[in-house]
Amino acid sequence: MNWEAKLAPYAQVVEELKVKLKGIRKQYEYESRHSPIEFITGRVKPVSSILEKAEKRNIPLDQLDQEIQDIAGLRVVCQFVDDIYEVVEMIRERNDFTIIDERDYVSRKKESGYRSYHLIIEYPVETISGMKNLLAEIQIRTLAMNFWATNEHSLNYKYKDKIPADIKNRLQRAAEAAFKLDEEMSKIKHEVQEAQRIFHRK
Ligand code: 0O2
Ligand code: 0O2
């Protein structure tokens, strides 16, 4: 397979969505309002990870576009838990793409301790051979959830998905601690935002 050609439209999707989501943040900044978005990252799934996932789930190579939903991946990181739902609502109201699936792992964490809100969208992208509707995954999470997920992801990589029991236990506790941190911060959200507004004006 010519992977570069295959993945080029996905790279286009990632870049376009990054511009659009960063645009939301900028608009809040111009209006000196608290942005529900702290930062955005995006990536095209590396070919090795695509092949690994395809093999693990018995996905034929001609069905990658439909079956692997996160070839184009966007991550929206927020300060507060409430911000996650604000971002979801904002995305829901857009007319430039369609949400085809959503998973709320924020209110219902995964067994690992993972929290995040996932949206799978269908995004129309123009290519030299016409318009293509491609799937993309948008993960929306707080800074604390992101910190946890990043570290857990590294450990999964290191231990090839077989994290030793004692480390798994610690990760579960760390997930609870991250959740508590989010809860505590939510309680002083207005104080923090007020301070940030004053700082921003200066
Ligand atoms: P900004 O907002 O203009 O500074 P790019 O092609 O540069 O847009 P790339 O190379 O994919 O994006 O960047 P990467 O390494 O994935 O990081 C994405 C963005 O997230 C970067 O900003 C980082 O500065 C930002 N980032 C990562 N961690 C944090 C964090 O903890 N806090 C904040 N506030 N930002 C973080 P950009 O893309 O340069 O955009
Ligand atoms: P990458 O690029 O390595 O992050 P399933 O695997 O069947 O549970 P599915 O269809 O993969 O479900 O979707 P799901 O569960 O919504 O998760 C998709 C992505 O969410 C994963 O992509 C991760 O990025 C993230 N994720 C899900 N669960 C966890 C978790 O327990 N820990 C961490 N750190 N991330 C998680 P990939 O394929 O792993 O790709």
Side-chain angles (χ1 to χ4, degrees):
M1 177 149 13
N2 180 349
W3 283 103
E4 235 168 284
K6 164 99 186 148
L7 297 180
Y10 284 99
Q12 178 81 19
V13 169
V14 169
E15 289 311 309
E16 288 186 16
L17 282 168
K18 272 207 315 207
V19 168
K20 290 180 176 189
L21 294 166
K22 282 182 181 180
I24 297 177
R25 184 186 156 84
K26 276 269 165 269
Q27 286 177 44
Y28 277 95
E29 263 174 36
Y30 292 141
E31 295 186 11
S32 299
R33 287 166 59 194
H34 166 73
S35 167
I37 296 175
E38 179 68 11
F39 66 90
I40 315 281
T41 63
R43 61 106 184 90
V44 174
K45 204 175 186 69
V47 175
S48 57
S49 310
I50 295 175
L51 290 173
E52 228 171 84
K53 203 164 185 170
E55 194 171 295
K56 216 183 321 184
R57 300 191 185 176
N58 282 319
I59 301 167
L61 289 185
D62 61 357
Q63 285 172 30
L64 295 180
D65 295 300
Q66 304 85 275
E67 299 297 328
I68 300 192
Q69 302 178 321
D70 66 340
I71 296 180
L74 276 297
R75 189 168 290 158
V76 178
V77 182
C78 311
Q79 282 190 318
F80 301 100
V81 178
D82 289 350
D83 295 341
I84 296 175
Y85 295 100
E86 204 177 320
V87 172
V88 172
E89 286 316 310
M90 226 167 350
I91 291 177
R92 231 194 274 289
E93 276 161 30
R94 295 187 74 111
N95 297 315
D96 48 351
F97 50 78
T98 319
I99 298 174
I100 60 159
D101 198 7
E102 53 188 292
R103 285 166 227 161
D104 181 357
Y105 301 129
V106 172
S107 55
R108 298 189 53 185
K109 65 169 191 248
K110 291 185 79 164
E111 215 180 277
S112 60
Y114 178 77
R115 284 184 202 270
S116 226
Y117 201 107
H118 290 190
L119 293 173
I120 307 295
I121 64 164
E122 198 170 57
Y123 187 91
V125 66
E126 292 292 341
T127 72
I128 49 172
S129 43
M131 211 258 293
K132 270 193 174 145
N133 269 311
L134 296 183
L135 298 181
E137 180 186 74
I138 307 179
Q139 303 179 337
I140 309 156
R141 47 168 83 148
T142 63
L143 286 158
M145 293 169 192
N146 192 48
F147 180 44
W148 183 92
T150 307
N151 290 344
E152 196 255 5
H153 194 273
S154 306
L155 288 169
N156 266 320
Y157 191 79
K158 176 176 171 187
Y159 292 107
K160 303 194 170 53
D161 290 332
K162 292 188 178 64
I163 301 179
D166 57 324
I167 299 181
K168 238 185 192 153
N169 275 336
R170 275 197 196 281
L171 277 170
Q172 301 264 5
R173 273 155 50 198
E176 277 316 299
F179 186 61
K180 288 243 162 63
L181 176 60
D182 274 334
E183 280 186 330
E184 289 301 317
M185 283 301 178
S186 289
K187 290 180 190 149
I188 53 168
K189 177 177 175 181
H190 296 292
E191 302 287 328
V192 176
Q193 285 175 348
E194 178 63 20
Q196 285 174 343
R197 260 196 298 275
I198 294 166
F199 184 73
H200 187 79
R201 274 202 296 273
K202 280 187 180 156

